[in-house]
Amino acid sequence: MSRHVEKKLDPIPQSYGPLGQAWKFFNRQLFAGALPPCLITLQRRKRSLGYFSGRRFKSADGVHVTDEIALNPTYFASSGAKDVLSTLAHEQAHQWQQHFGKPSGSGYHNKQWAVKMREIGLIPSDTGRPGGKTTGPRMSHYIEAGSLFDRAADRLIAKGFVLAFVECESDGADGLALKKRLSKTRYSCPACGLNAWAKPNAGLMCTTCKIVLV
């Protein structure tokens, strides 16, 4: 007598596999394949969407040393695939600076990093919106419409990139505060100054001026 066994989706390769492939894809598309291999981890660090740590891990024999890019899965469900990918590319810009530039100490986001972010299509902003400071100790970004990153991320998602597992619900004040901040982004019409609030990358348009809000 056979027993029916329900097939389960293995969360480890389904979670880490797509992120690793996304890192490789952006390395080719945004950084000309220059970045060295990197360890991708999921870390629920308070008030952080992700972080980069250079030369964080070494192999068991001590021969190989690798960087770490960590992403915070707490906000995956509320932000969506494209914003998660933008955080990954944000941290890859830090990795680029680690190996080919001059990063500042104590996690400061300096002008060189900001220039690289703009090159790949992510606009630095301490508020995550237009008009914010572009350098500083704590820095977010927003996606430039039609940019190198914007087009690359769309292609990756069209090829089937998905976040296979997302958090059921965030517990604690930090998780709730993070979701609240991410769910309210201000958009403005460059022509008439009309303001609107919506989730990140909502694609709003001013019907009067026929211009996409930024």
Side-chain angles (χ1 to χ4, degrees):
M1 183 176 180
S2 62
R3 177 182 296 177
H4 175 72
V5 179
E6 182 182 357
K7 187 176 182 180
K8 298 288 187 179
L9 189 64
D10 188 344
I12 296 177
Q14 292 295 328
S15 295
Y16 287 92
L19 293 174
Q21 291 301 317
W23 181 93
K24 292 179 181 179
F25 182 78
F26 288 146
N27 188 24
R28 296 192 302 270
Q29 299 295 318
L30 307 181
F31 300 95
L35 303 182
C38 180
L39 183 65
I40 307 292
T41 65
L42 297 179
Q43 304 282 352
R44 298 176 67 186
R45 177 181 285 189
K46 292 182 178 180
R47 303 183 184 279
S48 174
L49 305 183
Y51 65 80
F52 169 77
S53 184
R55 299 179 60 84
R56 184 65 179 270
F57 293 96
K58 65 180 180 179
S59 59
D61 58 10
V63 174
H64 303 285
V65 178
T66 186
D67 305 320
E68 176 194 20
I69 287 178
L71 300 176
N72 187 347
T74 297
Y75 88 109
F76 280 11
S78 61
S79 294
K82 196 166 187 177
D83 281 337
V84 173
L85 290 172
S86 76
T87 300
L88 175 63
H90 173 130
E91 303 309 335
Q92 285 181 269
H94 284 298
Q95 189 184 15
W96 173 88
Q97 189 177 41
Q98 173 75 23
H99 293 277
F100 304 104
K102 294 182 179 181
S104 299
S106 304
Y108 188 87
H109 298 70
N110 63 23
K111 185 176 180 180
Q112 182 187 58
W113 171 86
V115 169
K116 189 63 179 179
M117 285 281 283
R118 286 183 174 274
E119 286 180 1
I120 66 174
L122 298 177
I123 310 302
S125 170
D126 66 334
T127 65
R129 301 186 295 271
K133 295 179 180 179
T134 60
T135 59
R138 296 183 64 85
M139 194 60 52
S140 185
H141 65 265
Y142 60 92
I143 301 169
E144 180 182 7
S147 66
L148 190 62
F149 169 83
D150 195 29
R151 299 193 306 271
D154 284 345
R155 291 196 300 272
L156 188 58
I157 292 171
K159 290 180 179 180
F161 175 86
V162 294
L163 298 168
F165 284 88
V166 297
E167 195 170 64
C168 296
E169 61 180 57
S170 294
D171 53 350
D174 289 321
L176 293 175
L178 183 57
K179 281 191 173 183
K180 183 177 181 181
R181 176 165 64 85
L182 291 168
S183 66
K184 293 184 178 180
T185 297
R186 186 182 72 177
Y187 298 85
S188 299
C189 175
C192 69
L194 173 73
N195 292 324
W197 283 260
K199 66 180 181 179
N201 302 311
L204 302 182
M205 176 175 285
C206 176
T207 56
T208 301
C209 303
K210 307 299 182 184
I211 298 176
V212 175
L213 272 61
V214 296

